[in-house]
């Protein structure tokens, strides 16, 4: 019986050549040192991609890629289709994990010098895979056809529209027409489910093929620099000497980590559910504060913080330079030491990148530069700032509230953060400076001269002059000190 | 290899029964039985066939490829359908006030749903003078909101601010609000729309 089964198995193997393919792939030998916990991120990214393909196919069974019906079909998935909410959740969290783990994978590869000779193309294909993955994240955000998606596209249009000469054509290409509409969604749907995933599959095959062709990077050691003439020979000798099979010796760690990742994705999906859809995609409901998903939050923040004159250049040329440098990396840093402990520049690059991206993302999430559109009508004026004030000053407090100053200025930390907190403004500005600031604006504040009557300005400034911290002197002019009766004499 | 042809006679009679190989394809010296009568293709003839076949496929590829490119890039045209669209009676707009109005995207598709409603800000300067601003912030396109009391348009994204007349007041936007052309026809306000304004094509 057993030999019969064996015969059948051999018959299939003879036709399908499974064992041959298996030995050449899963069974290939790798350096023992590479069976490390540091080497699990690549396979975990791939596992996330598989989750995305699987859940994506399921979601496409219900999802309507039409501007009119997409939103309703998402609600249907969330609330009516059995387990639709869970699959949407897994798809959403899977994408978050995919981007995050991919970034870890890239960082590890960079720190371990794995991009050096002879693995240049492995790195280059990885960079393109990274861009494609970000492309999936962006187009996926558009699939969630809600207010954020709509205005997010508006942001894409505004950036495209800055391209010299062919800006208008590019926006038309992006939108499938002169205005965001049904064709835009179809376009992004096609990119999201056909074009980009196809590209990912193709490049992933190449990426894996390169790993097999050139071998996985050995665990770097100090004093073993890459030398082109001898590297391949030494690597092969190393693998021969104390190599180990990828399956079953090394794959265990990948499996453990991959399993944990899948578990975390599903857990997040169950605990936090899918994202959105949020506001209805009706452009006339403009009470929207569009925010991109987190992989793009840093760009959003950058756009707010950059000086306007460099914006266009940074938005258009920055990506080209950044991507160019990434692709060129293995060619200008082709040989030499791999161990990160003696490559301080690389460590610095990673730290700088992480800090700046992290800080920008944090700023994007809190976005202190955005006015709080409802603060003027919903936030109370702190009562201790009103006690004991004269009628004129109280009038001023009302002007401050009613003229929407609170949308950008806080009192007691409550309100917009766009401008400075006014709780102690009188410590900083004198009467004259207050008047001038209100009337003429400046320093990123609009001029209110035309919008306030002289009486309103007088009341407003009278109120603001009462706003100073306990125990602190009011602001004073730096010149003609002796003329001011409010200044304590310096002689005493 | 021995002088004797290893192929069985039966194979010659039914060459396709076994492995589907056509007669004449046996690599051995005997010429493969049935195929022995045909001469092998001459190198020139094979070359011709290869070139002809490749040429045929390039032509066929162009027959499919050119329409595909034309289809895809049909959106890549500069001219946009800017047309006059009615916003309704002039009287609904108060002199000195700013109000949101909506026009339907003239290029709308039947499946556009709500997304074909395009908002804009209408300011009635005087009895006969209007200004119509695009909703899109000139910085990165977020929808600006009008605040009547402070007479400012504020952008929720990066805090851009504009005055009542559309001029830039504060924040990162590089210019004032985009302004659509407008005209009054028979007591009806019309806007020239149909294109999302950008810095390189400010309506
Ligand atoms: S989009 Fe309006 S300020 Fe940036």
């Amino acid at each position: 019986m057993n030999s019969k089964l064996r015969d059948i198995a051999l018959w299939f193997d003879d036709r399908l050549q499974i064992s041959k393919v298996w030995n050449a792939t899963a069974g290939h030998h790798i350096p023992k040192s590479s069976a490390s916990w540091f080497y699990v991120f690549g396979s975990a990214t791939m596992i996330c991609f598989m989750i995305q393909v699987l859940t994506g196919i399921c979601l496409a069974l219900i999802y309507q890629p039409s501007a009119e019906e997409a939103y309703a079909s998402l609600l249907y998935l969330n609330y009516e289709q059995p387990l639709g909410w869970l699959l949407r959740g897994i798809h959403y969290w899977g994408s978050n994990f995919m981007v995050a783990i991919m970034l870890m994978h890239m960082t590890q590869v960079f720190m371990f010098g794995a991009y050096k000779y002879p693995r240049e193309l492995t790195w280059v294909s990885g960079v393109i895979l990274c861009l494609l993955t970000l492309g999936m994240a962006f187009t996926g955000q558009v699939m969630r056809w809600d207010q954020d998606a709509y205005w997010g596209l508006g942001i894409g249009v505004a950036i495209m529209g800055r391209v010299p000469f062919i800006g208008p054509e590019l926006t038309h290409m992006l939108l499938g027409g002169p205005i965001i509409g049904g064709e835009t969604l179809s376009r992004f749907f096609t990119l999201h489910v056909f074009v980009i995933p196809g590209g990912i599959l193709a490049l992933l095959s190449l990426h894996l093929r390169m790993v097999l062709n050139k071998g996985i990077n050995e665990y770097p050691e100090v004093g073993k620099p890459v030398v082109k003439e001898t590297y391949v020979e030494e690597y092969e000798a190393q693998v021969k000497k104390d190599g180990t099979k990828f399956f079953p010796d090394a794959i265990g760690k990948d499996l453990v980590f991959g399993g944990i990742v899948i578990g975390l994705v599903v857990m997040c999906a169950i605990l936090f559910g899918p994202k959105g859809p949020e506001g209805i995609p009706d452009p006339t409901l403009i009470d929207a504060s569009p925010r991109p998903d987190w992989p793009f939050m840093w760009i959003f923040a950058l756009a707010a913080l950059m000086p306007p004159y460099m914006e266009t250049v940074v938005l258009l040329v920055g990506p080209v330079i950044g991507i160019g440098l990434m692709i060129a990396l293995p060619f200008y840093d082709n040989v030499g030491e791999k161990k990160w402990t003696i490559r301080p520049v690389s460590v610095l690059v990673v730290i700088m990148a992480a800090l700046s991206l992290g800080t920008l993302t944090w700023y994007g999430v809190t976005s202190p530069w955005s006015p709080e559109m409802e603060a003027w009508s919903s936030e109370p004026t702190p009562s201790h700032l009103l006690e004991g004030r004269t009628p004129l000053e109280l009038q001023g407090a009302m002007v401050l509230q009613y003229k929407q100053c609170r949308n950008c200025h806080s009192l007691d930390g409550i309100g917009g953060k766009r401008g400075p907190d006014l709780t102690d403004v009188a410590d900083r500005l004198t009467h004259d400076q207050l008047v001038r600031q209100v009337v003429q604006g400046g320093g990123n504040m609009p001029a209110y001269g035309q919008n306030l009557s002289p009486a309103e300005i007088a009341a407003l400034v009278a109120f603001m002059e009462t706003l100073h911290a306990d125990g602190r002197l009011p602001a004073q002019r730096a010149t003609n000190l002796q003329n001011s009766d409010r200044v304590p004499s310096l002689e005493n | 290899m021995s002088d004797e042809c290893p192929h069985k006679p039966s194979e010659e009679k039914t060459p396709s029964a076994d492995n589907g190989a056509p007669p004449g394809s046996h690599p051995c010296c005997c010429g493969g039985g049935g195929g022995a009568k045909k001469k092998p293709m001459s190198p020139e003839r094979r070359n011709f066939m290869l070139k002809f076949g490749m040429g045929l496929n390039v032509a066929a590829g162009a027959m499919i490829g050119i329409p595909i490119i034309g289809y895809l890039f049909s959106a890549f045209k500069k001219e946009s359908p800017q047309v006059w669209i009615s916003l309704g009676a002039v009287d609904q707009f108060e002199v000195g006030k700013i109000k949101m109005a909506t026009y339907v995207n003239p290029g709308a598709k039947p499946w556009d749903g709500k997304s074909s409603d395009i908002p804009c800000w209408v300011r009635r300067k005087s009895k006969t003078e209007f200004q119509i601003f695009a909703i899109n912030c000139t910085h990165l396109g977020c929808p600006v909101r009008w605040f009547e009391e402070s007479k400012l348009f504020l952008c929720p994204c990066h805090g851009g601010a504009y005055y009542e007349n559309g001029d830039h007041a504060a924040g990162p936007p590089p210019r004032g609000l985009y302004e659509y052309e407008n005209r009054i026809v028979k007591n009806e306000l019309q806007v020239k729309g149909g294109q999302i304004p950008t810095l390189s094509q400010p309506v």
Side-chain angles (χ1 to χ4, degrees):
Chain A
M1 187 60 204
N2 257 347
S3 74
K4 191 92 192 132
L5 275 179
R6 201 182 135 77
D7 282 349
I8 295 176
L10 283 178
W11 185 88
F12 272 105
D13 192 47
D14 180 57
R15 270 71 180 169
L16 301 175
Q17 306 256 321
I18 295 170
S19 58
K20 217 171 163 184
V21 173
W22 178 265
N23 286 336
T25 54
H28 78 290
H29 283 75
I30 61 166
K32 205 172 204 135
S33 59
S34 303
S36 145
W37 282 110
F38 282 110
Y39 284 60
V40 297
F41 300 113
S43 64
T45 312
M46 193 171 79
I47 286 177
C48 289
F49 178 63
M50 278 150 51
I51 300 179
Q52 294 307 92
V53 171
L54 210 65
T55 49
I57 290 173
C58 294
L59 293 176
L61 294 177
I62 303 287
Y63 182 72
Q64 298 299 309
S66 120
E68 193 167 11
E69 281 146 359
Y71 191 81
S73 72
L74 287 168
L75 292 182
Y76 181 89
L77 273 166
N78 273 3
Y79 299 113
E80 294 198 42
Q81 164 66 34
L83 295 177
W85 66 273
L86 184 63
L87 284 193
R88 275 204 70 223
I90 295 177
H91 200 68
Y92 171 66
W93 285 100
S95 81
N96 286 341
F97 274 83
M98 184 166 169
V99 174
I101 298 175
M102 177 193 69
L103 292 179
M104 291 179 205
H105 177 51
M106 282 188 96
T107 312
Q108 182 269 327
V109 162
F110 180 71
M111 295 284 263
F112 279 49
Y115 54 85
K116 296 190 179 200
Y117 177 87
R119 301 187 180 83
E120 300 90 344
L121 284 185
T122 326
W123 169 264
V124 171
S125 58
V127 170
I128 303 175
L129 277 170
C130 164
L131 297 176
L132 290 176
T133 306
L134 291 178
M136 286 305 274
F138 186 78
T139 51
Q141 182 184 311
V142 175
M143 290 305 96
R144 210 190 302 129
W145 199 240
D146 56 7
Q147 267 177 351
D148 277 3
Y150 185 91
W151 295 109
L153 282 169
I155 294 178
V157 167
I159 294 178
M160 285 289 168
R162 288 172 180 239
V163 177
F165 307 120
I166 53 164
E169 285 82 357
L170 283 183
T171 43
H172 283 203
M173 270 312 266
L174 184 76
L175 299 181
I179 298 191
I180 302 168
E183 276 180 283
T184 317
L185 178 57
S186 307
R187 211 152 260 254
F188 277 81
F189 180 75
T190 310
L191 286 175
H192 189 73
V193 306
F194 296 115
V195 182
I196 305 180
I200 290 185
L201 281 176
L203 270 148
L204 187 57
S205 318
L206 178 71
H207 199 64
L208 295 176
R209 183 72 240 172
M210 294 306 301
V211 173
L212 289 174
N213 283 355
K214 296 294 163 195
I216 191 94
N217 191 35
E218 76 282 359
Y219 200 98
E221 272 175 56
V222 179
K224 280 201 178 172
V226 178
V227 180
K228 260 190 198 168
E229 289 69 34
T230 54
Y231 178 78
V232 174
E233 240 170 77
E234 275 170 18
Y235 180 83
E236 273 163 13
Q238 177 79 16
V239 171
K240 238 195 200 123
K241 206 176 98 217
D242 71 338
T244 173
K245 281 188 165 189
F246 174 65
F247 182 94
D249 300 333
I251 199 175
K253 288 180 178 135
D254 291 277
L255 288 176
V256 169
F257 187 69
I260 292 175
V261 167
I262 297 177
L264 284 177
V265 168
V266 175
M267 216 166 75
C268 286
I270 292 174
L271 288 179
F272 308 114
K275 177 164 182 179
E278 266 132 58
I280 308 170
D282 178 344
T284 61
L285 304 176
I286 57 157
D287 284 356
S289 305
R291 292 289 180 275
D293 282 0
W294 67 268
F296 308 103
M297 204 49 122
W298 63 278
I299 304 177
F300 178 79
L302 203 59
L305 299 173
M306 264 187 298
Y309 68 87
M310 28 190 295
E311 254 168 21
T312 302
V313 177
V314 170
L315 286 175
L316 299 180
V317 184
V320 177
I321 293 180
I323 296 167
L325 281 180
M326 294 277 272
I327 290 181
L329 169 70
F331 302 103
Y332 59 76
D333 185 23
N334 196 227
V335 290
E337 291 283 352
K338 282 182 176 174
K339 183 82 174 175
W340 60 273
T341 45
I342 53 168
R343 287 167 52 221
V345 176
S346 309
V347 177
L348 218 66
V349 166
V350 168
I351 294 177
M352 297 276 284
L355 278 183
S356 38
L357 290 182
T359 314
L360 283 173
T361 303
W362 172 248
Y363 269 125
V365 172
T366 50
S367 48
W369 52 79
S370 294
E372 294 226 355
M373 299 297 207
E374 269 80 47
W376 69 287
S377 52
S378 63
E379 301 298 355
T381 308
S383 56
H384 71 95
L385 299 180
L386 300 174
E387 271 160 32
R389 302 301 201 261
T390 65
L392 178 68
E393 290 158 0
L394 288 178
Q395 278 293 335
M398 284 187 49
V399 172
L400 187 129
Q401 198 75 25
Y402 188 61
K403 291 292 179 181
Q404 283 130 0
C405 306
R406 294 278 303 270
N407 288 14
C408 292
H409 294 283
S410 332
L411 288 177
D412 256 2
I414 303 163
K417 307 278 184 293
R418 169 115 197 127
D421 192 310
L422 295 181
T423 320
D424 51 3
V425 65
D427 296 342
R428 301 189 297 269
L429 298 181
T430 63
H431 174 89
D432 293 350
Q433 288 170 325
L434 282 172
V435 173
R436 195 186 56 207
Q437 187 65 29
V438 169
V439 174
Q440 296 182 1
N444 240 341
M445 175 170 157
Y448 281 82
Q450 300 152 359
N451 305 337
L452 297 174
S453 67
E456 284 172 325
I457 294 175
L460 179 60
V461 171
F463 174 62
M464 285 201 288
E465 275 186 290
T466 69
L467 300 178
H468 44 82
D470 291 340
R472 252 193 256 160
L473 291 175
Q476 45 196 279
R477 275 195 297 167
T479 53
N480 289 342
L481 283 180
Q482 60 274 32
N483 291 349
S484 169
D485 51 357
R486 281 201 260 132
V487 177
S489 164
L490 294 174
E491 276 106 62
N492 304 348
Chain B
M1 190 163 279
S2 68
D3 288 343
E4 204 189 355
C5 174
H7 301 121
K8 296 184 204 101
S10 66
E11 197 186 330
E12 283 162 29
K13 279 171 199 151
T14 57
S16 57
D18 184 46
N19 56 6
S25 66
H26 301 299
C28 60
C29 50
C30 74
K37 282 164 205 152
K38 273 192 193 162
K39 275 199 194 133
M41 226 183 245
S42 71
E44 301 90 67
R45 206 171 122 82
R46 207 182 316 151
N47 234 332
F48 168 75
M49 272 314 233
L50 177 69
K51 282 190 181 144
F52 182 65
M54 278 180 7
L56 210 58
N57 274 282
V58 168
M63 270 157 65
I64 298 179
I66 290 171
I68 287 182
I69 291 171
Y71 178 92
L72 284 179
F73 282 80
S74 61
F76 197 91
K77 49 184 185 252
K78 194 172 180 144
E79 283 324 306
S80 49
Q82 297 263 47
V83 294
W84 288 106
I85 307 156
S86 170
L87 290 177
V90 172
D91 301 334
Q92 57 177 315
F93 303 101
E94 238 180 285
V95 176
K97 287 267 152 68
I98 290 184
K99 189 181 159 188
M100 198 172 89
T102 304
Y103 72 84
V104 175
N105 174 5
K109 301 286 176 297
W111 58 90
D112 269 6
K114 283 267 174 244
S115 64
S116 62
D117 292 346
I118 310 298
C120 54
W121 291 111
V122 177
R123 172 183 184 217
R124 186 163 193 182
K125 270 195 339 200
S126 66
K127 254 197 127 32
T128 53
E129 271 181 306
F130 281 86
Q131 273 188 304
I132 304 181
F133 303 114
I135 197 84
N136 309 87
C137 182
T138 56
H139 180 226
L140 286 179
C142 290
V144 295
R145 277 185 236 175
W146 170 243
F147 285 87
E148 175 65 37
E149 293 75 15
S150 48
K151 299 248 183 286
L152 285 176
F153 292 100
L154 291 183
C155 175
C157 281
H158 314 105
Y162 307 85
Y163 293 117
E164 191 176 19
N165 62 359
D167 284 351
H168 172 257
R175 50 160 284 167
L177 285 174
Y178 301 117
E179 195 177 334
Y180 295 110
E181 278 178 63
N182 71 78
R183 69 179 185 193
I184 298 169
V185 177
K186 291 205 203 103
N187 220 23
E188 200 182 72
L189 180 64
Q190 295 189 342
V191 61
K192 196 164 190 190
Q195 157 73 43
I196 194 166
T198 59
L199 278 180
S200 57
Q201 201 177 24
V203 293

